[in-house]
Amino acid sequence: MSRTTFFEVAVLDANTREQICFLDKVDPYSTIGNIKCLFQKSYPHWYPARQALKLDPKGKILRDEEILLHLPVGTTATMFFIDLGPQLGWTMVFLAEYIGPLLTYLLFYFRVPYIYSHRYASTSSPHPVVTRACACHTFHYVKRMIETIFVHRFTHGTMPLRIIVRNCAYYWGFSAWLAYYINHPLYTPPSYGEIQFNYGLIMFVMCELGNFSIHVTLNNLRGDGIRGRRYPIPTKNPFTWLFLFVSCPNYTYEVGAWVSFSIMTQCLPVAFYTLLGFIQMSIWAKGKHRAYSREFKDYPSLRMAIIPLIL
Amino acid sequence: MSAAAAGTSKAAHGDVAPKKRRGPGALAYLVIYNVVMTAGWLVIAVGLVRAYLARGSYHGLYYSIEKPLKFFQTGAMLEILHCAVGIVPSSVVLTGFQVMSRVFLTWAVTHSVREVQSEDSVLLFVTAWTVTEIIRYSFYTFSLLNHLPFLIKWARYTFFFVLYPMGVTGELLTIYAALPYVQKTGLYSVTLPNKYNFSFDYHSFLILVMISYIPLFPQLYFHMIRQRKKVLGHIEDYSKVE
């Protein structure tokens, strides 16, 4: 019968360096995640997702999977605690961010009273373009919500509250702004009429399909876990052939969808929103591209980050 | 809030001697730049004083320094470039915000709305800006040359107590004075319907700008106060020249 040496863990506040919790009889094969659960017993309002534990106050945050025995500590480990603030699971975050644009756009489409001038309340636009644009916008966000629930798998569990507030303000605010103009009684349909709208619509549908294809492809990659990571490659689906040219075709398609929406509606606020989205997504794409290039020595050199051959 | 806030970005990084991560060429350029700006704002200051003495009144002094004011205040946009290129260790965003808010007031309000140019509020912020900038640019010049007289450092972190509220008051009053003229003429405004389905009401925008002073002014003001404590905190151990 072997004796297991139990560890002890002293948890200190990272800012004040005072001991706030002492855990004894900790199994040496406990993970940081286990320790966080133990810690929560003393401080019930600090759920594990809110806890950041470090071996050094200025050091890196310990990952939940790390095992106590493998850390550079003695049998009495000292850890420093930081409260990360309220957290929300990523699924909920995205749903909150997307439900706003979905609903606010509809408020403007149905011309809910007090938005536009009195006599237009609850009327509908004479232009078929406006109804179709509403359908496209709604479809875009419904698709995103479905993907969030059924397709995406998130690595980090949570996100801080103030980031969520900021993101929601951005999504909700902009969708209200562009919905205001598209559904306005004085809205002017596209200069080249039906042709312009239809071409835009075709491009929009292609980009939405493309974006969805990429999300599914990326999701299928995830199944392998940390070891055996590979970068995404084109599959039989023609939409994924964009992987030949860019690292993040999901962003490419997303920008494409918004460009086509701008063309369909011929609305400057939409174009401006597209531009902002493009800038942000380019930054993300460049980061991802750099990460791929660094991790995989055989990463195809033809690939750019977001725009084939250009960016 | 542009009045003393323009000093904030440098202050935000503490006033340590500039790290020599830029070459001697960049250093020479920056010294020349700051000397030229100091001189420019001195020209504006002298222009104001001379015009006052000549006319005997505070009114309409803007016209006597209109051109150098536009030139040197607009020229300050180079400072955004300095941060972007890295020869000045400040945040591009913060510097950009400060410079552009000054440029906005100079061109989009004072220059564009002729009727406010004779207002006394214009003199109020121009004076605040002038004094602030002379001190700020000479501060940078001396810092770059590693010979910062305590007086300049003290002035930079003390004068703002008065100059900052003074400048903000002048700016707000000027924008407020411009409102009726903007509304009447529809200046810089676009209405529906139009081909690109866009509208912009400059009058409402100016009101929003005025409202934005409420959260921003206290933040910047208290930031400067905190910087002052940090920089001038140990006055006792200081000699005249660093």
Side-chain angles (χ1 to χ4, degrees):
Chain A
M1 187 167 104
S2 61
R3 252 181 61 227
T4 324
T5 319
F6 282 114
F7 276 42
E8 295 172 329
V9 179
V11 182
L12 277 55
D13 183 297
N15 297 320
T16 64
R17 311 289 169 100
E18 288 174 11
Q19 183 171 301
I20 52 180
C21 184
F22 189 80
L23 306 165
D24 57 1
K25 297 245 188 341
V26 180
D27 189 299
Y29 285 98
S30 305
T31 61
I32 297 292
N34 296 141
I35 292 173
K36 287 183 181 176
C37 289
L38 291 173
F39 182 83
Q40 190 187 8
K41 291 205 173 77
S42 312
Y43 294 93
H45 63 288
W46 276 334
Y47 43 87
R50 240 181 117 145
Q51 301 176 30
L53 291 172
K54 304 179 174 184
L55 289 176
D56 176 82
K58 296 206 200 341
K60 272 176 40 185
I61 298 179
L62 296 167
R63 292 196 331 266
D64 280 5
E65 313 84 62
E66 301 205 48
I67 296 174
L68 188 56
L69 191 59
H70 299 153
L71 293 174
V73 293
T75 49
T76 302
T78 304
M79 294 190 189
F80 294 90
F81 164 82
I82 296 180
D83 178 14
L84 296 171
Q87 306 280 308
L88 221 65
W90 272 46
T91 305
M92 286 313 297
V93 167
F94 279 116
L95 292 179
E97 287 175 5
Y98 298 152
I99 198 89
L102 194 67
L103 296 178
T104 51
Y105 193 103
L106 291 173
L107 285 178
F108 286 89
Y109 176 73
F110 289 115
R111 293 189 184 159
V112 160
Y114 296 111
I115 297 179
Y116 300 112
S117 163
H118 203 64
R119 56 201 171 111
Y120 295 110
S122 308
T123 57
S124 57
S125 171
H127 309 290
V129 174
V130 173
T131 306
R132 295 175 202 162
C134 178
C136 290
H137 187 269
T138 307
F139 171 78
H140 179 82
Y141 283 101
V142 166
K143 167 184 155 288
R144 280 212 202 173
M145 287 174 75
I146 290 176
E147 282 174 343
T148 302
I149 300 170
F150 295 107
V151 178
H152 295 305
R153 270 182 269 162
F154 300 110
T155 39
H156 300 287
T158 60
M159 190 195 251
L161 191 65
R162 46 182 185 84
I163 304 290
I164 297 161
V165 173
R166 183 197 72 183
N167 289 356
C168 281
Y170 174 79
Y171 280 110
W172 295 44
F174 263 104
S175 65
W177 190 50
L178 48 99
Y180 173 78
Y181 287 109
I182 300 172
N183 299 294
H184 201 282
L186 297 176
Y187 171 74
T188 311
S191 306
Y192 295 99
E194 286 287 316
I195 310 171
Q196 182 173 339
F197 182 82
N198 290 330
Y199 274 120
L201 183 62
I202 293 170
M203 186 174 157
F204 179 81
V205 171
M206 302 273 281
C207 290
E208 292 287 320
L209 284 171
N211 180 266
F212 180 73
S213 307
I214 304 300
H215 285 154
V216 169
T217 309
L218 289 173
N219 185 58
N220 291 337
L221 261 187
R222 276 275 162 81
D224 305 349
I226 313 279
R227 297 284 156 257
R229 277 161 64 95
R230 289 302 296 156
Y231 56 82
I233 52 173
T235 67
K236 293 208 190 67
N237 181 340
F239 286 113
T240 64
W241 297 350
L242 196 50
F243 269 120
L244 289 168
F245 297 103
V246 288
S247 298
C248 300
N250 50 321
Y251 292 143
T252 315
Y253 284 122
E254 180 72 19
V255 174
W258 282 102
V259 166
S260 41
F261 194 66
S262 309
I263 294 171
M264 282 195 282
T265 56
Q266 195 167 303
C267 182
L268 197 61
V270 179
F272 182 66
Y273 180 63
T274 307
L275 179 68
L276 289 184
F278 171 67
I279 293 172
Q280 176 63 82
M281 284 187 271
S282 298
I283 295 173
W284 291 338
K286 283 223 154 272
K288 193 95 208 163
H289 181 77
R290 228 175 288 131
Y292 279 147
S293 306
R294 248 186 266 138
E295 184 173 351
F296 303 105
K297 298 295 172 261
D298 59 337
Y299 200 68
S301 50
L302 181 63
R303 285 195 196 182
M304 301 299 283
I306 185 172
I307 312 265
L309 309 175
I310 299 178
L311 190 60
Chain B
M1 97 190 80
S2 322
T8 312
S9 62
K10 259 305 186 116
H13 292 257
D15 290 294
V16 288
K19 307 272 190 300
K20 292 294 183 288
R21 48 204 176 105
R22 51 179 165 237
L27 187 64
Y29 162 76
L30 281 174
V31 170
I32 294 172
Y33 173 80
N34 284 297
V35 165
V36 165
M37 293 305 262
T38 312
W41 285 94
L42 277 166
V43 161
I44 295 171
V46 165
L48 283 171
V49 171
R50 289 181 62 184
Y52 170 68
L53 292 173
R55 290 171 200 239
S57 99
Y58 292 112
H59 298 307
L61 293 183
Y62 169 76
Y63 299 103
S64 49
I65 45 86
E66 184 181 358
K67 286 206 173 35
L69 175 70
K70 286 176 175 171
F71 182 80
F72 288 101
Q73 186 57 77
T74 312
M77 283 168 73
L78 280 173
E79 285 163 49
I80 306 174
L81 196 65
H82 298 166
C83 295
V85 164
I87 54 178
V88 168
S90 288
S91 145
V92 173
V93 171
L94 203 55
T95 310
F97 175 75
Q98 288 163 178
V99 171
M100 291 317 290
S101 66
R102 287 278 191 95
V103 167
F104 175 78
L105 240 124
T106 307
W107 289 99
V109 181
T110 315
H111 165 81
S112 303
V113 188
R114 240 164 272 282
E115 293 85 346
V116 306
Q117 288 168 6
S118 46
E119 293 278 333
D120 289 344
S121 56
V122 174
L123 179 63
L124 200 59
F125 75 74
V126 169
T127 310
W129 290 5
T130 307
V131 178
T132 305
E133 298 301 65
I134 293 172
I135 298 173
R136 183 168 76 94
Y137 286 116
S138 46
F139 175 92
Y140 291 154
T141 310
F142 287 117
S143 295
L144 287 165
L145 299 171
N146 264 316
H147 261 289
L148 181 64
F150 179 76
L151 185 64
I152 307 267
K153 178 190 279 211
W154 179 85
R156 187 189 179 203
Y157 285 102
T158 307
F159 280 32
F160 80 89
F161 274 119
V162 169
L163 292 177
Y164 197 23
M166 185 172 141
V168 165
T169 309
E171 292 169 25
L172 282 174
L173 285 173
T174 307
I175 299 175
Y176 184 72
L179 288 177
Y181 300 105
V182 169
Q183 183 159 58
K184 196 170 63 173
T185 62
L187 182 68
Y188 299 147
S189 301
V190 177
T191 54
L192 290 175
N194 60 67
K195 207 161 60 151
Y196 295 111
N197 294 301
F198 176 67
S199 73
F200 180 71
D201 183 26
Y202 193 47
H203 180 258
S204 306
F205 179 73
L206 285 176
I207 294 178
L208 270 173
V209 168
M210 287 178 72
I211 295 176
S212 73
Y213 275 67
I214 299 176
L216 292 172
F217 167 75
Q219 277 191 43
L220 291 165
Y221 197 58
F222 289 124
H223 174 79
M224 280 303 276
I225 294 177
R226 265 178 277 129
Q227 285 303 115
R228 180 171 197 272
K229 280 208 185 66
K230 245 204 303 184
V231 171
L232 299 181
H234 9 274
I235 293 188
E236 304 83 66
D237 359 307
Y238 260 39
S239 53
K240 281 290 172 193
V241 175
E242 290 212 310

